[in-house]
Amino acid sequence: MLKNQIVVGLTALAVSGCVLNCSGNNAPHRSDAAAQGGGSGATDTSLLDASFDADAEGNSSTHEVAPDGRDGSAQETGPSETCLAGWSEKSLVFTAKPPLAVAPKVAWTKKLVDFVATGDRVVSGNGFIATTAANIVLSVDKQSQMVRGWRSELPELFTSLSLGKDGNILVAGSRAYGIAPDGTRVWQVPLSGPPLMDEWTKCGSSYSSAANTLFTLCNTGYLHAIVPAQQETKWSQRIYEAGFFDSFMRGGGGDSLLLSLSERLNKPGIRAYDARSGQAMGAVVKDRASVSAFYSGGMLTVGNTMAAYDKCGNLRWSADEEGTFVLPVVTGLPDERIFAIEGSGTSTAERSLSMYSSTSGTRLASRGGLGTPVAAGADGTYYAFDCEVRGSTEPRPEQPALIAFNSGLQEKWRLQLPVPKGLGNDYPCPKWGVALDDDGMMYMAVEANSTHIIAVQTTSPGPAPTLWPLRFGDNAGSSWSQ
């Protein structure tokens, strides 16, 4: 079996419009305003205008691997040579914790900065949370709600971020950066590739804590492996020619990074790259599919329908729902069941929330009505945003709500979220990438003419102990499993 592989791809999926990544395909409206206060606490704006020396730091050597062609092709090998390395096949036992003895409520809200292009997730560290807005990295103290940040002077678009083992915030644009929670830039590493085809560099990234390696894929067409501890690029590999980018980077599991190639590259499917050298190894899954989540048996994909594959790309099951689109989002208790969005057409009136068995692909429960699954809690509670008007494209007349369900999709409680009106005079939906701490606090980012954070007290003592309880895997936003 081939060890230490990376499986890479380039497709963003959508259900009735923007679903998986709503913040990276268009150049944002830029503003020179620094982060501003809102709600309680103070705002430290001094670091947002920190100078950027393009040649001062991070000029480490890069091992650049010869490209394998515009379509990402390589000599394809058999499934036994493209299995996910480092993946555990043992059965996992999941036990629910008692719910917290608290009343659900909105704890606080905070306006961070006058920028649109809010990042796709919030990450939670020791005493702080972080998110991004265009080319700004923002950190918020959980207790005082003081905002600190760092802004790149380059026209970069930080749409995703992760927390490293050392507590630094990891982002990537034209360079990879490590940012301390106080807004100080700790390190930077230049990324190779051709000149950009547009003003804004778009990158997706995923972080392996076990390997302490940040993997990033940008619209320069290059995949990079960066080692934060050494502040250098381990290798770079050209995946496709610059000029277009399906900007969603799904993540990885074990020692393998998983995404799927765009059909525009004429190689749909999920392909592997050796993490030690960056060399292309071939396809793990050759069917048209994109990895959406992980579970103990392997990977959950979405294509013509939802399907489950083992670590060697063998099909375990596919959802037998002819003409139905099923998007697996998170897995939770009691039996690693899948919380998904389901739809039989393009109309929002035809969408629903569903629960599926991860062992058989059987639908366990379903309820009509719009919703966006975002988290599975350690007490067996599932969470979704209610953001849209059924069967309508008109602006939403009411603020979004956070809904809590049991494992049978029976509603437990709901809270209206204090989301301000955004573009189009409607109420935008919070980003899918929430964080859920052990004290029950859920943090979410909202883009409403500016970037906001909403903190909600829930009853869940942290995320479920499954492999994929949050949209981006864990509170570090790593998009990494096992």
Side-chain angles (χ1 to χ4, degrees):
M1 179 188 301
L2 178 69
K3 300 295 184 182
N4 298 321
Q5 295 175 349
I6 296 182
V7 185
V8 185
L10 311 169
T11 293
L13 302 174
V15 179
S16 300
C18 177
V19 172
L20 290 190
N21 184 9
C22 302
S23 62
N25 293 328
N26 297 311
H29 300 282
R30 300 195 61 186
S31 168
D32 291 329
Q36 299 181 16
S40 60
T43 300
D44 179 358
T45 63
S46 60
L47 294 172
L48 295 183
D49 291 312
S51 62
F52 178 88
D53 183 351
D55 300 316
E57 302 174 32
N59 294 317
S60 57
S61 62
T62 298
H63 170 56
E64 185 171 315
V65 180
D68 60 355
R70 183 183 186 278
D71 63 358
S73 63
Q75 182 66 39
E76 294 194 0
T77 55
S80 63
E81 295 186 73
T82 52
C83 296
L84 307 187
W87 189 275
S88 172
E89 294 183 321
K90 65 181 179 181
S91 298
L92 301 178
V93 177
F94 305 107
T95 303
K97 295 181 179 180
L100 300 173
V102 295
K105 66 177 182 178
V106 175
W108 52 266
T109 65
K110 183 74 175 180
K111 178 182 175 182
L112 303 186
V113 65
D114 284 328
F115 264 79
V116 292
T118 303
D120 59 11
R121 71 197 73 176
V122 173
V123 299
S124 178
N126 185 17
F128 72 97
I129 56 174
T131 190
T132 59
N135 61 342
I136 297 180
V137 177
L138 295 157
S139 174
V140 184
D141 186 275
K142 293 178 181 178
Q143 296 300 318
S144 68
Q145 288 90 64
M146 174 173 281
V147 182
R148 296 180 174 89
W150 170 82
R151 179 170 60 197
S152 170
E153 291 185 354
L154 297 178
E156 302 174 281
L157 191 61
F158 301 140
T159 56
S160 61
L161 75 164
S162 305
L163 287 181
K165 292 176 65 174
D166 56 6
N168 288 329
I169 304 161
L170 307 178
V171 294
S174 61
R175 297 178 178 228
Y177 302 94
I179 309 298
D182 66 1
T184 304
R185 190 190 69 214
V186 180
W187 56 265
Q188 67 177 16
V189 174
L191 302 179
S192 60
L196 300 181
M197 301 296 292
D198 54 20
E199 180 184 7
W200 291 83
T201 301
K202 307 176 185 70
C203 297
S205 59
S206 185
Y207 174 72
S208 169
S209 177
N212 191 20
T213 301
L214 178 70
F215 299 99
T216 183
L217 178 67
C218 301
N219 67 344
T220 58
Y222 276 69
L223 172 69
H224 308 278
I226 299 107
V227 184
Q230 300 174 11
Q231 300 178 21
E232 66 178 16
T233 301
K234 185 176 182 180
W235 52 259
S236 293
Q237 165 70 299
R238 196 182 80 180
I239 305 300
Y240 61 91
E241 292 181 358
F244 64 87
F245 186 45
D246 295 322
S247 61
F248 193 77
M249 194 169 201
R250 165 41 45 216
D255 298 321
S256 306
L257 182 67
L258 290 139
L259 293 167
S260 53
L261 289 175
S262 169
E263 287 190 55
R264 287 184 288 183
L265 300 178
N266 300 316
K267 283 287 183 181
I270 302 167
R271 305 184 68 82
Y273 288 78
D274 190 314
R276 297 161 297 185
S277 66
Q279 291 288 348
M281 302 305 300
V284 175
V285 176
K286 298 179 183 179
D287 297 332
R288 184 180 65 184
S290 179
V291 177
S292 185
F294 295 92
Y295 76 116
S296 58
M299 47 190 152
L300 299 170
T301 69
V302 60
N304 293 327
T305 186
M306 178 174 65
Y309 292 88
D310 68 13
K311 69 175 186 177
C312 295
N314 297 308
L315 179 67
R316 288 178 175 262
W317 53 259
S318 61
D320 187 19
E321 304 295 338
E322 188 68 27
T324 298
F325 180 88
V326 185
L327 174 68
V329 181
V330 299
T331 61
L333 302 174
D335 48 11
E336 207 176 12
R337 61 186 55 192
I338 303 163
F339 194 16
I341 291 177
E342 187 170 346
S344 57
T346 58
S347 170
T348 57
E350 300 176 68
R351 282 172 46 192
S352 61
L353 295 172
S354 297
M355 289 285 185
Y356 280 82
S357 166
S358 61
T359 58
S360 66
T362 303
R363 186 197 287 136
L364 304 175
S366 183
R367 61 178 290 146
L370 295 178
T372 303
V374 294
D379 61 341
T381 300
Y382 290 80
Y383 297 94
F385 293 140
D386 182 7
C387 299
E388 300 182 65
V389 179
R390 176 172 289 279
S392 174
T393 59
E394 296 299 318
R396 294 182 279 269
E398 297 179 352
Q399 290 174 311
L402 176 67
I403 312 174
F405 299 100
N406 65 15
S407 60
L409 282 181
Q410 295 173 316
E411 186 173 319
K412 299 172 69 173
W413 52 264
R414 71 168 56 208
L415 282 175
Q416 190 175 53
L417 300 173
V419 173
K421 287 188 176 181
L423 297 175
N425 200 36
D426 68 345
Y427 293 102
C429 190
K431 303 295 182 176
W432 286 28
V434 304
L436 179 59
D437 283 355
D438 291 347
D439 61 1
M441 293 297 293
M442 179 182 289
Y443 302 97
M444 60 197 73
V446 182
E447 180 182 308
N449 295 326
S450 53
T451 298
H452 300 253
I453 292 290
I454 299 176
V456 174
Q457 176 67 65
T458 75
T459 60
S460 296
T466 57
L467 296 186
W468 209 258
L470 301 175
R471 181 57 186 144
F472 294 102
D474 53 30
N475 280 330
S478 67
S479 295
W480 207 267
S481 180
Q482 293 205 4

